[in-house]
Amino acid sequence: MTVFQTIFDLIAIRSFSNLWYWIALAVTWSTASHWVLGVPYDMVLRARRRGGVAGEDLHDITRVNVRRIMGISREAGLVLAGLVPAILSFLAVTGFLYDSELAQAVFLLACPLCIVWLASLRLAKRLEPGLETGMPVELLIQVLARHRLTIQSVGLVAIVVTALWGMYQNLRYSVF
């Protein structure tokens, strides 16, 4: 058995029957819902409980991350607006039209993450002026908590759709 055969056996191309894909899916959505606009959600909870310095820290890190997101949007927004849909289209066509399970798996992971990125970008654009002028911490906590709920909702739908599609694919290729 060659080294390449061992690697390909370890990283099976049949993604939906591979445990590593499901672990990656769970870790991805867990991470996405923990880091809201690049701010760890435990900081939001700490600011809600303690206020004061924790609230100021939350305000500061949110302002920095919103500036970073908006900077990326301004600098690379046009390129990303063309490149990301092209990649998603390639994955969708390759996956669902040409029946590539790996492309399907990557598409089912990437497409909802793009929805989360667009929602985060929209929120960052809305928050940017308020963070510069001194938005109340209570309002910021509420907005970040609501955005986390949005991310978790998208993640829940994505996991359910991916699980259903993965079960369908596994049943389709199983031999009884």
Side-chain angles (χ1 to χ4, degrees):
M1 190 179 279
T2 66
V3 173
F4 290 116
Q5 184 63 39
T6 305
I7 291 172
F8 283 129
D9 287 344
L10 213 77
I11 307 170
I13 299 302
R14 294 232 18 254
S15 302
F16 297 115
S17 62
N18 191 334
L19 178 63
W20 292 109
Y21 176 74
W22 298 104
I23 291 171
L25 184 74
V27 167
T28 298
W29 285 110
S30 174
T31 303
S33 67
H34 179 70
W35 292 89
V36 180
L37 286 181
V39 177
Y41 197 70
D42 61 290
M43 283 189 77
V44 176
L45 296 176
R46 193 175 310 116
R48 179 182 284 162
R49 278 193 308 261
R50 295 184 190 159
V53 174
E56 291 172 19
D57 289 347
L58 176 67
H59 191 277
D60 291 341
I61 196 167
T62 305
R63 188 178 67 248
V64 167
N65 283 321
V66 163
R67 275 194 209 144
R68 183 182 58 82
I69 290 169
M70 294 309 297
I72 292 169
S73 171
R74 289 182 186 108
E75 295 291 322
L78 190 58
V79 172
L80 290 174
L83 192 60
V84 171
I87 291 170
L88 287 176
S89 297
F90 171 77
L91 288 171
V93 168
T94 305
F96 298 103
L97 194 61
Y98 293 109
D99 204 31
S100 167
E101 192 172 314
L102 181 62
Q104 291 171 5
V106 173
F107 178 82
L108 290 171
L109 188 62
C111 187
L113 285 174
C114 289
I115 293 169
V116 167
W117 170 253
L118 290 173
S120 297
L121 184 61
R122 182 175 174 222
L123 180 61
K125 189 172 184 172
R126 272 191 12 230
L127 285 177
E128 190 176 32
L131 289 170
E132 297 300 328
T133 60
M135 171 185 240
V137 174
E138 296 79 23
L139 179 61
L140 181 60
I141 291 169
Q142 184 180 15
V143 167
L144 291 176
R146 193 175 321 123
H147 186 60
R148 181 177 192 232
L149 186 62
T150 301
I151 293 170
Q152 288 175 329
S153 300
V154 171
L156 178 66
V157 170
I159 289 170
V160 167
V161 168
T162 303
L164 290 174
W165 185 257
M167 283 187 281
Y168 168 73
Q169 290 293 87
N170 286 335
L171 288 172
R172 191 174 112 183
Y173 289 114
S174 68
V175 177
F176 291 101

